Amino acid sequence: MARAVEELLATLDLERLETNLFRGRSPNVGWQRVFGGQVIGQALVAACRTVEGRQAHSLHAYFLLPGDPKVPIVYEVDPIRDGRAFATRRVVAIQHGRAIFSMSASFQVREDGLDHQAAMPDVPMPEDLPGEDEMRARIMPMMDPAARAYFERERPIELKPVELERYLPRETGAEPLPARFHVWIRTTGRLPDEQAIHDCALAYASDMTLLDTSLIPHGRSVFRREIQAASLDHALWLHRPFRADEWLLYAQESPSSSGARGFSRGSIFTRDGRLVASVAQEGLIRLRREEG
């Protein structure tokens, strides 16, 4: 197992303080605030550990305050409903005596039923795309130092963008690119054979690149210094079983941006075309004021 994946599993392996109270830590990756996907994944882990015989099928979350990576995060779970088929949990993440994140999650027993899905977009397979070394060479020179330091280290999630040109400089006056982005994702090492772990790993990864899609028509990126970006809310629906350590296509689009907020949604497919999850998110995409 890759060292970064071992660290991811350790990050998701919360310490139980009490029946419905858990504590999580942040890895030392040099960020000034906690990565939003980490809080989503840890909150889902906390909720999962209070539910038996049911699988998560949806979560809805709000980011309230930036997380401090230097101190632990306490997760308080409220078991607000346990029915015959469904269970509902509310989770609040706390630091420095204040709520920094809140989430509701729903769980269901396995059931058979009607089945249909949207078709997967026709895009190149991950092995037909540039390798990570080539992507680093072309993209990292444009990143700010903090983002570059993160991408230079070993990471738990491998990304292979289909539209790599989205990050490259474009000629003045060029037609805006459409607000669509496709990226293949998977963990960089094998995960245990437990669906809840794969669900939580995907929850972690689902916060990656989604907000950035809303900046594509404007020729900007979350890696640019003039953009202040932050996730505001996040929703995830889990449709079918999958493995997060196998390639998944994250197909993203942004129908709207306004009021310094960008709205994006995504569909996640296995490489054989099964739709396994859907995501929606709104985030802050504020232009920083120039100093002086």
Side-chain angles (χ1 to χ4, degrees):
M1 184 186 298
R3 181 176 57 189
V5 173
E6 289 181 347
E7 187 172 77
L8 172 62
L9 292 175
T11 300
L12 295 175
D13 188 17
L14 305 182
E15 176 189 1
R16 186 186 290 270
L17 302 177
E18 250 295 347
T19 302
N20 295 312
L21 201 63
F22 303 86
R23 179 163 55 199
R25 66 172 185 86
S26 299
N28 181 20
V29 294
W31 290 101
Q32 294 181 341
R33 63 188 182 194
V34 176
F35 168 52
Q38 174 196 318
V39 187
I40 299 169
Q42 288 181 330
L44 185 57
V45 169
C48 287
R49 291 189 176 178
T50 69
V51 176
E52 293 184 4
R54 298 168 177 83
Q55 291 287 328
H57 71 88
S58 70
L59 64 83
H60 302 262
Y62 282 93
F63 297 91
L64 307 176
L65 290 170
D68 182 352
K70 297 186 295 294
V71 299
I73 305 173
V74 174
Y75 294 89
E76 184 177 13
V77 181
D78 182 4
I80 57 178
R81 178 174 183 264
D82 282 297
R84 286 185 296 178
F86 290 87
T88 307
R89 296 293 184 267
R90 183 166 50 224
V91 185
V92 177
I94 302 166
Q95 277 189 322
H96 303 297
R98 296 187 296 175
I100 65 167
F101 173 89
S102 68
M103 183 187 83
S104 295
S106 184
F107 300 77
Q108 182 189 12
V109 297
R110 287 265 187 232
E111 295 186 44
D112 294 324
L114 304 174
D115 196 308
H116 81 276
Q117 67 160 77
M120 185 175 79
D122 184 12
V123 300
M125 289 289 110
E127 55 270 17
D128 298 325
L129 294 169
E132 183 135 318
D133 289 343
E134 181 179 344
M135 289 190 293
R136 286 182 177 184
R138 298 175 69 181
I139 295 174
M140 285 202 302
M142 294 174 289
M143 294 182 180
D144 65 45
R148 188 181 305 120
Y150 172 74
F151 279 93
E152 284 175 343
R153 67 167 54 228
E154 186 180 357
R155 290 172 287 113
I157 305 297
E158 184 176 1
L159 307 172
K160 278 200 172 186
V162 174
E163 297 90 356
L164 188 60
E165 67 276 7
R166 175 267 175 283
Y167 293 111
L168 303 178
R170 307 187 74 232
E171 293 182 3
T172 303
E175 281 290 317
L177 294 172
R180 292 192 300 272
F181 192 55
H182 302 85
V183 57
W184 289 96
I185 61 173
R186 68 176 177 182
T187 60
T188 53
R190 189 167 177 82
L191 299 176
D193 297 331
E194 183 181 338
Q195 187 60 53
I197 292 176
H198 292 265
D199 293 344
C200 294
L202 185 65
Y204 174 97
S206 66
D207 190 41
M208 292 180 168
T209 72
L210 189 59
L211 177 58
D212 197 47
T213 302
S214 66
L215 290 165
I216 292 177
H218 311 284
R220 302 272 183 35
S221 164
V222 294
F223 299 134
R224 300 269 291 270
R225 294 177 183 272
E226 73 268 22
I227 297 294
Q228 180 185 357
S231 303
L232 296 174
D233 62 12
H234 194 89
L236 170 67
W237 294 265
L238 298 164
H239 306 309
R240 296 171 178 85
F242 62 92
R243 293 194 66 93
D245 52 11
E246 297 177 352
W247 284 116
L248 299 168
L249 177 66
Y250 199 172
Q252 307 168 19
E253 62 173 350
S254 176
S256 174
S257 64
S258 65
R261 301 184 315 277
F263 173 69
S264 301
R265 58 194 177 200
S267 300
I268 301 177
F269 299 86
T270 59
R271 63 182 298 145
D272 61 357
R274 287 186 303 111
L275 178 64
V276 297
S278 298
V279 190
Q281 183 182 86
E282 189 173 51
L284 180 72
I285 49 170
R286 179 183 291 149
L287 289 172
R288 298 183 190 272
R289 295 180 180 176
E290 293 185 7
E291 297 180 0

